[in-house]
Amino acid sequence: MRAGALKLKAQLLCGDALAMGPGKAALLEAIDAAGSISAGARSLGMSYRRAWLLVDEMNRCFADRLVDTVSGGGTGRGATLSVTGRAVLTAFRAIERRMMAAAEGEAYDSLRELLRDTPQPAEDR
């Protein structure tokens, strides 16, 4: 997320694992919209394997699974967000919105006034 020259990135850690971040939140939204991990991954330009590994990591980091799957093709198959998955996604996006709101105001304005538009060239030494 960018607010002018300020880049904000929320990440939720589970030990050394990244339980939730902007990319995983986008993957959850894509899975929810598409109804499957593979279709959600495709919509993000991601391989199924990469998406599956991210979902597996999220599912292992939270007390309850975030994504429920039913394997195979046909009616009733695919992936859906669990109640916990929806709650985690909603809370994470709320944190991101609050971070953006916190970035607006005097402190950011003061920093922005002191910041150059582009860096000066490096000095030869």
Side-chain angles (χ1 to χ4, degrees):
M1 296 181 308
R2 286 188 73 144
L6 184 63
K7 181 179 179 181
L8 301 171
K9 184 177 184 179
Q11 293 182 320
L12 183 63
L13 301 177
C14 172
D16 290 334
L18 178 59
M20 182 59 58
K24 286 182 176 176
L27 178 57
L28 289 179
E29 290 167 339
I31 291 168
D32 191 39
S36 76
I37 294 173
S38 60
R42 274 193 305 277
S43 74
L44 296 174
M46 180 185 300
S47 73
Y48 170 77
R49 175 156 172 73
R50 176 74 179 137
W52 187 90
L53 291 171
L54 293 173
V55 167
D56 181 60
E57 185 171 46
M58 285 186 279
N59 282 341
R60 290 183 292 109
C61 283
F62 288 91
D64 296 314
R65 298 174 63 82
L66 302 191
V67 177
D68 291 320
T69 59
V70 178
S71 59
T75 307
R77 307 295 185 198
T80 58
L81 298 189
S82 67
V83 172
T84 301
R86 289 187 191 287
V88 166
L89 182 58
T90 299
F92 184 79
R93 291 303 194 198
I95 288 170
E96 287 182 320
R97 285 190 300 277
R98 290 186 72 186
M99 286 172 56
M100 289 299 288
E104 299 169 356
E106 289 181 34
Y108 174 69
D109 292 342
S110 295
L111 280 174
R112 185 65 190 111
E113 287 176 17
L114 299 170
L115 186 66
R116 297 177 190 275
D117 289 331
T118 59
Q120 290 185 318
E123 295 181 16
D124 291 330
R125 290 191 184 210

